[in-house]
Amino acid sequence: MHRGLELTPFRGLRYDPDRVGSLAAVTSPPYDVVVRPDGLHHLESSDPYNIVRLILPQAATAGARNEQAAATLRHWLSEGILTTDPEPCLYVYEQRDGEGMLQRGLIGALRVSDPAEQVVLPHEDVMPHVVEDRAALMRATSANLEPLLLTYRGDDSSAATADLIERTADRPPLLATTTEDGFRHRLWAVTDPAELTTIQHGLARHQALIADGHHRWATYRRLRTEHPSPSPWDYGLVLLVDTARYPLRVRAIHRLLHALPVGEAVAALDGRFRVRRLDVPLSDALAALADAARASNAFLLAGDGAFHLVDHPDPDLLARTIPAGRPTAWRTLDATVLHATLLEHVWHIPEDSPDRIAYIHDTAATVAKAERDGGTAVLMHPVREEVVRDLARQGVTMPRKSTSFGPKPATGLVLRALDL
């Protein structure tokens, strides 16, 4: 393997807790998890300094939105709402929920590597218009506003790093807050040169999998090429989690098909998939989906007050519609069948048209929006992490928005300014 992970200390931008209502009130989920417009309005109204005003600025045009975010950031810095930590550091970040879930990792500025180096492994395709959107925002603000979530598999070479993370978590934290989803967040700064060296040596032989933030990583890579090296744009803000010690949860990302009523969606499946109507609560329908997914590709359609379990696709249909020359693990993914067979050939919906299809993480919200808008919710069953990692190592990307790893870092706890 080539060079490994290079995590560099930086002077973080953080909210001054004396200047905001509460740290919880100014944080947000990552930009692509905020359900718009409902969640956006909720966050904007929770506190005048909520980070959503930077990551999802609201204005009539893209240019105006980005200029507004840049002006807001400048204003918050000049007013002391956001302050710069006194010295460069790496941060230990902890998330804990009420059900025993504990995750700890390292926040730092990671060297942006080329794909050929195989240091950071993507596993999903990206949408060019989203990368351009994020790049324009980062150019305007000259900041990394939220960390990507990357995972690595710790081993003997990184044991000292893992121990240091645990010891750091015994100290009093820089900040502690509980967000409305019930997660408790704590953050510590690591500034000691010997400790920083321990961390950097422990990561130097590792590669990482992008768990969340494919579009932002593609954005980092694009922006790095626009600035002569060496520069701050050679690095991007990340959270690195050792999944040997802290396994992530893997959840599905669902689809909302606008302007396709459930009746039409189901009718188009006749003779191509088996479809069974389920008049049961959401939890029972998801259990039926999990059972069906063991035997074949399976999906749940919703939006008309019931659930429709879709499974057992016609093998001839799959053979005709799924691209050959890819590993079996990729050709048999639910997301592959959804995009190559259902969206393209059965329902004729282009996957890159935001006016026709939306990607939503919250299951109940996807169903509710489909019922309210007259569209079709397509509920997915999650992929196992080992399948994702194996495909990534082979250099095979999954269809976009195939997985949701979590818990995701809260946005707004640490930012990175590139012009410091």
Side-chain angles (χ1 to χ4, degrees):
M1 197 168 70
H2 300 76
R3 297 158 73 180
L5 297 166
E6 295 180 29
L7 196 65
T8 304
F10 70 103
R11 293 176 64 199
L13 282 185
R14 296 191 296 111
Y15 281 100
D16 180 343
D18 296 330
R19 299 295 308 276
V20 297
S22 77
L23 287 173
V26 294
T27 62
S28 157
Y31 79 97
D32 58 336
V33 181
V34 176
V35 177
R36 288 167 267 193
D38 317 9
L40 188 62
H41 295 157
H42 170 69
L43 290 164
E44 284 183 329
S45 59
S46 67
D47 191 284
Y49 301 116
N50 189 283
I51 192 70
V52 81
R53 296 175 191 277
L54 297 183
I55 62 170
L56 291 171
Q58 299 300 293
T61 66
R65 287 194 292 273
N66 295 328
E67 183 43 52
Q68 181 177 303
T72 301
L73 179 57
R74 287 194 298 269
H75 176 66
W76 289 357
L77 286 167
S78 66
E79 293 290 305
I81 306 301
L82 286 169
T83 60
T84 310
D85 279 337
E87 54 187 318
C89 55
L90 297 176
Y91 298 88
V92 170
Y93 174 48
E94 176 190 276
Q95 293 160 279
R96 190 190 291 266
D97 71 5
E99 300 164 16
M101 175 83 186
L102 171 65
Q103 179 171 293
R104 289 185 182 131
L106 291 161
I107 294 177
L110 186 73
R111 183 180 71 87
V112 178
S113 54
D114 290 315
E117 295 181 73
Q118 289 207 304
V119 174
V120 174
L121 303 174
H123 66 266
E124 286 183 2
D125 292 331
V126 295
M127 295 177 257
H129 72 275
V130 178
V131 176
E132 184 45 56
D133 175 69
R134 291 293 103 186
L137 179 62
M138 283 189 213
R139 283 188 208 104
T141 57
S142 196
N144 299 154
L145 300 172
E146 45 186 341
L148 284 64
L149 175 59
L150 305 184
T151 71
Y152 67 101
R153 298 289 295 174
D155 57 17
D156 290 347
S157 71
S158 56
T161 297
D163 292 342
L164 196 154
I165 291 171
E166 303 307 304
R167 288 199 309 277
T168 302
D170 288 333
R171 303 174 189 165
L174 278 181
L175 68 83
T177 190
T178 302
T179 44
E180 65 180 6
D181 57 6
F183 269 91
R184 287 180 287 159
H185 308 262
R186 295 197 296 168
L187 192 77
W188 297 262
V190 179
T191 56
D192 180 83
E195 293 186 336
L196 293 172
T197 300
T198 295
I199 290 172
Q200 289 168 327
H201 283 173
L203 296 173
R205 293 169 57 184
H206 286 279
Q207 58 183 180
L209 177 74
I210 301 177
D212 186 65
H214 282 83
H215 290 91
R216 283 167 286 162
W217 181 255
T219 301
Y220 290 168
R221 289 194 43 242
R222 174 183 294 191
L223 293 172
R224 188 199 65 177
T225 65
E226 296 174 2
H227 297 81
S229 187
S231 86
W233 299 89
D234 292 341
Y235 297 84
L237 185 63
V238 304
L239 165 64
L240 271 173
V241 174
D242 174 2
T243 52
R245 198 164 282 221
Y246 297 108
L248 269 65
R249 294 172 174 160
V250 188
R251 295 197 164 119
I253 302 176
H254 309 297
R255 275 66 171 159
L256 176 61
L257 309 180
H258 305 299
L260 177 67
V262 178
E264 288 180 26
V266 169
L269 299 175
D270 188 37
R272 294 163 156 173
F273 284 75
R274 180 172 72 169
V275 184
R276 288 172 285 166
R277 181 187 170 100
L278 306 176
D279 289 294
V280 297
L282 175 59
S283 56
D284 293 354
L286 290 172
L289 174 63
D291 283 343
R294 291 193 189 98
S296 81
N297 298 111
F299 313 90
L300 270 181
L301 306 187
D304 61 351
F307 295 98
H308 304 267
L309 182 60
V310 176
D311 63 357
H312 290 292
D314 171 23
D316 291 338
L317 174 67
L318 298 186
R320 285 199 315 275
T321 56
I322 291 180
R326 295 285 193 101
T328 303
W330 181 88
R331 300 182 80 244
T332 54
L333 286 170
D334 288 339
T336 300
V337 173
L338 173 65
H339 284 261
T341 306
L342 283 169
L343 290 178
E344 189 170 339
H345 288 275
V346 176
W347 294 325
H348 307 293
I349 295 175
E351 62 175 17
D352 55 358
S353 54
D355 56 325
R356 302 283 305 278
I357 181 168
Y359 299 85
I360 304 178
H361 293 71
D362 185 279
T363 312
T366 313
V367 175
K369 285 176 85 68
E371 291 183 345
R372 191 174 66 213
D373 304 341
T376 294
V378 183
L379 307 184
M380 311 282 288
H381 186 65
V383 186
R384 299 192 318 280
E385 184 190 352
E386 52 267 33
V387 173
V388 177
R389 196 175 288 276
D390 286 347
L391 285 170
R393 285 213 176 100
Q394 296 175 58
V396 177
T397 51
M398 297 164 63
R400 58 193 58 164
K401 300 290 183 186
S402 294
T403 56
S404 173
F405 285 90
K408 303 178 193 305
T411 296
L413 297 180
V414 187
L415 291 66
R416 175 176 173 252
L418 288 117
D419 47 12
L420 279 176

